[in-house]
Amino acid sequence: MIENDIKVRHVADVIDHLGKAEQLLTIEGQHNLPHEWVGGTMDILNSSARDPTFILHHAFIDYVWEKFRQKQERLGENPEYYPSLGKTSETDKYNLTAFHNATNVMACFPWMKNKDGYRSDYVGILYEYEDSPKCPDCGKSKYITCNEKLNRCIGIVPTESEEENSSPWIIIGGAITFGIIIVCFLLARSKKSHSVVATQKSNMLRHIVF
């Protein structure tokens, strides 16, 4: 919807500073709901970046945002326009105005302002996105298939036999990984003990000499 619905053309149409993250038309909805669905560390602000799915998810959100910007260009909108949040009870409640004004300095990036994040010169110079697979062939991938009802490519759920066939390899891989960790731990401990013994011998020699 963010990419294809021509009624969704302004930044105000896809951002949501009123806390309605359940709206799938908003970039916040696309972002927040998977965090909540995965749960665990992924659903906690201070730990979500430690979850293995975090980078994949945020790469997808960046992709959706870039597709929206490309649509803006096609519709004659300026993708570098940074909107004003305005004054609402919610912006006061969450102090969003203080953090997200266009001219505010970015946290951790003191040489940049918030509005610099809307610049177009990152794409094409630093990176670019390929189009996501589309129906009917879904890029001929063996991992996704076309859902004709949604007209969208979705992941293929493995069958029970496929899961059973993969289970032994998962166990073997886990055992090998655990074994490597144990060996590394023992080697590190051995080096530490040798270092302690060498230090003790050195101290003894120093006492004998002096």
Side-chain angles (χ1 to χ4, degrees), residues 57-188:
H57 174 51
H58 276 259
F60 168 72
I61 293 300
D62 287 344
Y63 170 81
V64 173
W65 178 251
E66 179 56 27
K67 286 299 178 183
F68 171 70
R69 287 166 53 83
Q70 291 175 8
K71 182 178 73 171
Q72 284 186 302
E73 290 183 338
R74 292 196 304 271
L75 297 176
E77 302 289 342
N78 178 13
E80 295 192 7
Y81 170 69
Y82 193 101
S84 171
L85 289 175
K87 292 288 289 184
T88 70
S89 59
E90 292 294 332
T91 56
D92 291 338
K93 178 180 177 182
Y94 295 108
N95 204 22
L96 293 178
T97 304
F99 287 109
H100 294 290
N101 274 336
T103 56
N104 283 12
V105 174
M106 286 189 186
C108 302
F109 300 97
W111 61 90
M112 297 182 71
K113 297 179 180 179
N114 284 335
K115 63 181 181 180
D116 294 329
Y118 277 50
R119 281 164 34 193
S120 300
D121 52 0
Y122 306 116
V123 184
I125 298 176
L126 299 179
Y127 62 91
E128 61 183 4
Y129 289 102
E130 292 185 359
D131 289 332
S132 59
K134 291 180 172 57
C135 288
D137 65 350
C138 294
K140 298 180 180 179
S141 171
K142 63 180 181 180
Y143 301 108
I144 55 178
T145 186
C146 178
N147 183 311
E148 295 181 357
K149 184 177 180 180
L150 298 174
N151 192 32
R152 184 179 304 166
C153 299
I154 61 173
I156 295 175
V157 179
T159 62
E160 291 184 5
S161 60
E162 289 174 332
E163 290 181 343
E164 290 174 358
N165 291 335
S166 64
S167 295
W169 293 107
I170 294 174
I171 295 172
I172 292 171
I176 292 173
T177 302
F178 181 73
I180 292 172
I181 293 172
I182 293 297
V183 170
C184 291
F185 172 76
L186 293 175
L187 287 174

